[in-house]
Amino acid sequence: MSVTCPTPLPAQDMVLLGHGSGGKLSAELLRDVFLPAFANPVLGKLDDQASLEIGGARLAFTTDSFVVKPLFFRGGDIGSLAVHGTVNDLAMGGAHPMFLSAAFILEEGFPTGDLRRIVQSMAGAAARAGVTIVTGDTKVVEKGHGDGVYINTTGIGLRRDGVILSSDRVRTGDAVILSGSLGNHGVAILCEREGLELETDVESDSAALHTLVDAIFAVTPRIRCMRDPTRGGLASTLNEIAGRSRVGITIFEETLVIHDAVRGACELLGLDPLYVANEGKLVAMVAPEAAGDVVTAMRQHPLGRDAAIIGVAGGARAGMVTMRTSLGTTRIVDMLAGDQLPRIC
Amino acid sequence: MSVTCPTPLPAQDMVLLGHGSGGKLSAELLRDVFLPAFANPVLGKLDDQASLEIGGARLAFTTDSFVVKPLFFRGGDIGSLAVHGTVNDLAMGGAHPMFLSAAFILEEGFPTGDLRRIVQSMAGAAARAGVTIVTGDTKVVEKGHGDGVYINTTGIGLRRDGVILSSDRVRTGDAVILSGSLGNHGVAILCEREGLELETDVESDSAALHTLVDAIFAVTPRIRCMRDPTRGGLASTLNEIAGRSRVGITIFEETLVIHDAVRGACELLGLDPLYVANEGKLVAMVAPEAAGDVVTAMRQHPLGRDAAIIGVAGGARAGMVTMRTSLGTTRIVDMLAGDQLPRIC
């Protein structure tokens, strides 16, 4: 497994594809443009969802726009992805997902049949995830602008009592638990996009993770934070956690599950699975004494069958992520610098 | 003033610009594609915001994507518009606007300086409207896709106790109250887009209406429903209300305020101000005994100085809107059929 070497980036005066990667450039845009303007303590926590108190209710609130290309892929489509993505951001905040909004930006000339298929897929995904789509919006842009359809979903969840999850709560010694294999979503998209035929077909892992989260909280409240490693992959997610908590994180290569077909496609395409997007996996940072129980509980859930402790907080400089490789060497796992795979979600 | 004659539309198998107009085609798309798939009682009310109960809190929830072209215009920009639009949809539901999400779809190559200007404008508009932008998302699409920037804002508000506003609550005899002049936003956008120079410059009326709503509720709770007549203009909004409430609505041409420059531009361009978008006006359907007090209260507010009773529920067939013209004739005011002005918000 190779590790992407970050190259220093010049100050940019225009938006680059990499600004949407979930990696370093995304973080820069957030730090330089959005945070100074919108400055407030909730946004400043930089979690994937806002924790709100409103009218006595403890809510989680999160938004995501989906611009995935192609719109249909093995294992899902932009509609199911848009539901799963927002359900998961709520679930990662320890909230019960409840309500979604759905806003469509359609391109003139987009086949109504495809729209119907996407909307049906959203409805099915929402029903299975137990969330209700309660409000929406549709805009249309001229042919040649947009890409068929972009979807924004924004979600409201009800936070669990007594649970506070945040990426700044990790302490040295905490276990890093990953729910399963890496890279399936990104590779599925890329195969579809490039017309790549693999010996074994790779399906997106796109799925709603909230019942897996329920299974975790059924055994312990001792979870520091949870994240779904989507854009920028596991590497970027762990770097964000390390940065926010000011701890080092060490992961162990031999504990990572990467399916042969995914590994093969990544080698062929020069991608590093650590940086490839997942849409149905979670990383939990867990107090060490609870880690065994969490893994056991996750393995009994269909979406957590390959759950494992893949690392530990500590053993690296504060704010950094390193990997002990199968060969016994140690490598720095930096945040994604540019963009391996634009338009992945 | 001419009235747009609706032409019957063939069944469409692709998305047309008119599907984003807020008029007939938008309603068709909603009825044929979205509602059957997402079927639930909250969405089925077809109001501009969902009314939710969650954790004991009575919330309003609404979403809007903004694709206005050009991004900057006299009186505002896509950033301030995106804040005002969602604040207003919450306010029209009788809710106190509280929190917004902001999701950006950026085009590769978009100048960071312009993005900064838009984000600053959003921040200013949010601060003035007393709402906090608590969560966000950024995606980037390749150059040539998208149009610089699309913004989705989704908002949460706290509903007033004892207030239920819905477009199906209007009864014969209710007063139609409009807060001010018609057509300023649409004409401002069009002038900017077409490089049209008018003798008097027309500014967008883009503004947050929640304090005007506060002023109304300070004098009476007897409001049936409120709407901001954006896409599709006053005509489409009144048609939606008439359709939902199954009452007729009659409006009086001489009571409508249309600035000379707006009227002139509309005549020049063959537009009907009744169908042109407004972004800082509200229509309230009010119990007749409270109408005088509401108008008086609105006129004391900077955004309601030209408020007037412009019509009454009744005097037309159930579900229809008619206008008594200045000449004493009566005309049917149908819903917008196609799209007078695409990409207006």
PDB file of all heavy atoms in Angstrom, chain B residues 43 47 75-76 87 110 115 129 166 172 239 275 317 326 337:
ATOM      1  N   LEU B  43     -45.419  16.566   4.155  1.00  0.00           N
ATOM      2  CA  LEU B  43     -45.089  17.042   2.809  1.00  0.00           C
ATOM      3  C   LEU B  43     -46.371  17.325   2.022  1.00  0.00           C
ATOM      4  O   LEU B  43     -46.450  18.283   1.254  1.00  0.00           O
ATOM      5  CB  LEU B  43     -44.260  15.974   2.090  1.00  0.00           C
ATOM      6  CG  LEU B  43     -43.611  16.370   0.766  1.00  0.00           C
ATOM      7  CD1 LEU B  43     -42.551  17.444   0.991  1.00  0.00           C
ATOM      8  CD2 LEU B  43     -42.986  15.159   0.090  1.00  0.00           C
ATOM      9  N   ASP B  47     -47.105  23.253   2.024  1.00  0.00           N
ATOM     10  CA  ASP B  47     -46.697  24.582   2.460  1.00  0.00           C
ATOM     11  C   ASP B  47     -45.203  24.760   2.174  1.00  0.00           C
ATOM     12  O   ASP B  47     -44.516  23.814   1.820  1.00  0.00           O
ATOM     13  CB  ASP B  47     -47.008  24.756   3.954  1.00  0.00           C
ATOM     14  CG  ASP B  47     -48.510  24.928   4.185  1.00  0.00           C
ATOM     15  OD1 ASP B  47     -49.143  25.653   3.400  1.00  0.00           O
ATOM     16  OD2 ASP B  47     -49.039  24.330   5.140  1.00  0.00           O
ATOM     17  N   GLY B  75     -29.029  45.456  -5.193  1.00  0.00           N
ATOM     18  CA  GLY B  75     -29.880  45.149  -4.042  1.00  0.00           C
ATOM     19  C   GLY B  75     -29.558  43.819  -3.377  1.00  0.00           C
ATOM     20  O   GLY B  75     -30.211  43.462  -2.399  1.00  0.00           O
ATOM     21  N   GLY B  76     -28.555  43.108  -3.886  1.00  0.00           N
ATOM     22  CA  GLY B  76     -28.228  41.844  -3.228  1.00  0.00           C
ATOM     23  C   GLY B  76     -27.316  40.973  -4.046  1.00  0.00           C
ATOM     24  O   GLY B  76     -26.716  41.410  -5.029  1.00  0.00           O
ATOM     25  N   VAL B  87     -35.021  32.247   5.573  1.00  0.00           N
ATOM     26  CA  VAL B  87     -35.587  32.954   6.727  1.00  0.00           C
ATOM     27  C   VAL B  87     -37.070  33.251   6.462  1.00  0.00           C
ATOM     28  O   VAL B  87     -37.925  33.051   7.331  1.00  0.00           O
ATOM     29  CB  VAL B  87     -34.790  34.255   7.005  1.00  0.00           C
ATOM     30  CG1 VAL B  87     -35.575  35.221   7.892  1.00  0.00           C
ATOM     31  CG2 VAL B  87     -33.437  33.925   7.633  1.00  0.00           C
ATOM     32  N   PHE B 110     -13.821  29.109 -10.086  1.00  0.00           N
ATOM     33  CA  PHE B 110     -14.571  30.263  -9.556  1.00  0.00           C
ATOM     34  C   PHE B 110     -13.623  31.099  -8.690  1.00  0.00           C
ATOM     35  O   PHE B 110     -12.909  30.568  -7.850  1.00  0.00           O
ATOM     36  CB  PHE B 110     -15.762  29.768  -8.731  1.00  0.00           C
ATOM     37  CG  PHE B 110     -16.689  30.868  -8.287  1.00  0.00           C
ATOM     38  CD1 PHE B 110     -17.385  31.622  -9.205  1.00  0.00           C
ATOM     39  CD2 PHE B 110     -16.853  31.136  -6.933  1.00  0.00           C
ATOM     40  CE1 PHE B 110     -18.245  32.639  -8.799  1.00  0.00           C
ATOM     41  CE2 PHE B 110     -17.710  32.151  -6.511  1.00  0.00           C
ATOM     42  CZ  PHE B 110     -18.404  32.905  -7.449  1.00  0.00           C
ATOM     43  N   LEU B 115     -16.192  34.292  -4.055  1.00  0.00           N
ATOM     44  CA  LEU B 115     -16.771  33.399  -3.044  1.00  0.00           C
ATOM     45  C   LEU B 115     -16.751  34.083  -1.680  1.00  0.00           C
ATOM     46  O   LEU B 115     -17.732  34.051  -0.928  1.00  0.00           O
ATOM     47  CB  LEU B 115     -15.980  32.085  -2.989  1.00  0.00           C
ATOM     48  CG  LEU B 115     -16.455  31.096  -1.933  1.00  0.00           C
ATOM     49  CD1 LEU B 115     -17.903  30.662  -2.180  1.00  0.00           C
ATOM     50  CD2 LEU B 115     -15.541  29.867  -1.897  1.00  0.00           C
ATOM     51  N   ALA B 129     -30.587  39.021  10.393  1.00  0.00           N
ATOM     52  CA  ALA B 129     -31.841  38.277  10.560  1.00  0.00           C
ATOM     53  C   ALA B 129     -31.866  37.496  11.874  1.00  0.00           C
ATOM     54  O   ALA B 129     -32.863  36.850  12.191  1.00  0.00           O
ATOM     55  CB  ALA B 129     -32.056  37.332   9.382  1.00  0.00           C
ATOM     56  N   SER B 166     -51.696  27.684   7.426  1.00  0.00           N
ATOM     57  CA  SER B 166     -51.590  26.755   6.312  1.00  0.00           C
ATOM     58  C   SER B 166     -52.476  27.240   5.185  1.00  0.00           C
ATOM     59  O   SER B 166     -53.527  27.846   5.422  1.00  0.00           O
ATOM     60  CB  SER B 166     -51.981  25.339   6.742  1.00  0.00           C
ATOM     61  OG  SER B 166     -51.689  24.435   5.680  1.00  0.00           O
ATOM     62  N   THR B 172     -63.928  32.065   2.704  1.00  0.00           N
ATOM     63  CA  THR B 172     -64.555  33.159   1.970  1.00  0.00           C
ATOM     64  C   THR B 172     -64.727  34.365   2.907  1.00  0.00           C
ATOM     65  O   THR B 172     -65.142  34.203   4.052  1.00  0.00           O
ATOM     66  CB  THR B 172     -65.928  32.725   1.419  1.00  0.00           C
ATOM     67  OG1 THR B 172     -65.707  31.629   0.527  1.00  0.00           O
ATOM     68  CG2 THR B 172     -66.617  33.846   0.663  1.00  0.00           C
ATOM     69  N   ASN B 239     -52.891  31.570  -6.654  1.00  0.00           N
ATOM     70  CA  ASN B 239     -53.493  30.368  -7.234  1.00  0.00           C
ATOM     71  C   ASN B 239     -53.264  29.149  -6.349  1.00  0.00           C
ATOM     72  O   ASN B 239     -54.163  28.321  -6.189  1.00  0.00           O
ATOM     73  CB  ASN B 239     -52.936  30.111  -8.638  1.00  0.00           C
ATOM     74  CG  ASN B 239     -53.786  30.764  -9.710  1.00  0.00           C
ATOM     75  OD1 ASN B 239     -54.840  30.239 -10.057  1.00  0.00           O
ATOM     76  ND2 ASN B 239     -53.355  31.911 -10.194  1.00  0.00           N
ATOM     77  N   TYR B 275     -46.620  38.087 -12.316  1.00  0.00           N
ATOM     78  CA  TYR B 275     -45.923  36.800 -12.389  1.00  0.00           C
ATOM     79  C   TYR B 275     -44.431  36.950 -12.095  1.00  0.00           C
ATOM     80  O   TYR B 275     -43.684  35.992 -12.192  1.00  0.00           O
ATOM     81  CB  TYR B 275     -46.116  36.180 -13.778  1.00  0.00           C
ATOM     82  CG  TYR B 275     -47.543  35.774 -14.036  1.00  0.00           C
ATOM     83  CD1 TYR B 275     -48.461  36.685 -14.535  1.00  0.00           C
ATOM     84  CD2 TYR B 275     -47.977  34.485 -13.749  1.00  0.00           C
ATOM     85  CE1 TYR B 275     -49.786  36.328 -14.755  1.00  0.00           C
ATOM     86  CE2 TYR B 275     -49.295  34.107 -13.966  1.00  0.00           C
ATOM     87  CZ  TYR B 275     -50.194  35.045 -14.468  1.00  0.00           C
ATOM     88  OH  TYR B 275     -51.499  34.673 -14.675  1.00  0.00           O
ATOM     89  N   ARG B 317     -64.762  31.596  -8.890  1.00  0.00           N
ATOM     90  CA  ARG B 317     -65.017  30.175  -8.711  1.00  0.00           C
ATOM     91  C   ARG B 317     -63.996  29.568  -7.774  1.00  0.00           C
ATOM     92  O   ARG B 317     -62.831  29.989  -7.759  1.00  0.00           O
ATOM     93  CB  ARG B 317     -64.946  29.468 -10.078  1.00  0.00           C
ATOM     94  CG  ARG B 317     -66.318  28.975 -10.481  1.00  0.00           C
ATOM     95  CD  ARG B 317     -66.437  27.926 -11.534  1.00  0.00           C
ATOM     96  NE  ARG B 317     -65.250  27.332 -12.037  1.00  0.00           N
ATOM     97  CZ  ARG B 317     -64.913  27.351 -13.333  1.00  0.00           C
ATOM     98  NH1 ARG B 317     -65.657  28.001 -14.205  1.00  0.00           N
ATOM     99  NH2 ARG B 317     -63.836  26.734 -13.740  1.00  0.00           N
ATOM    100  N   SER B 326     -58.478  48.044 -13.542  1.00  0.00           N
ATOM    101  CA  SER B 326     -58.743  49.470 -13.365  1.00  0.00           C
ATOM    102  C   SER B 326     -59.844  49.931 -14.310  1.00  0.00           C
ATOM    103  O   SER B 326     -60.510  50.933 -14.065  1.00  0.00           O
ATOM    104  CB  SER B 326     -57.465  50.274 -13.637  1.00  0.00           C
ATOM    105  OG  SER B 326     -56.398  49.719 -12.923  1.00  0.00           O
ATOM    106  N   ALA B 337     -47.714  29.482 -16.576  1.00  0.00           N
ATOM    107  CA  ALA B 337     -47.722  28.239 -17.345  1.00  0.00           C
ATOM    108  C   ALA B 337     -46.304  27.769 -17.648  1.00  0.00           C
ATOM    109  O   ALA B 337     -45.913  26.664 -17.325  1.00  0.00           O
ATOM    110  CB  ALA B 337     -48.497  28.428 -18.632  1.00  0.00           C
TER     111      ALA B 337
END
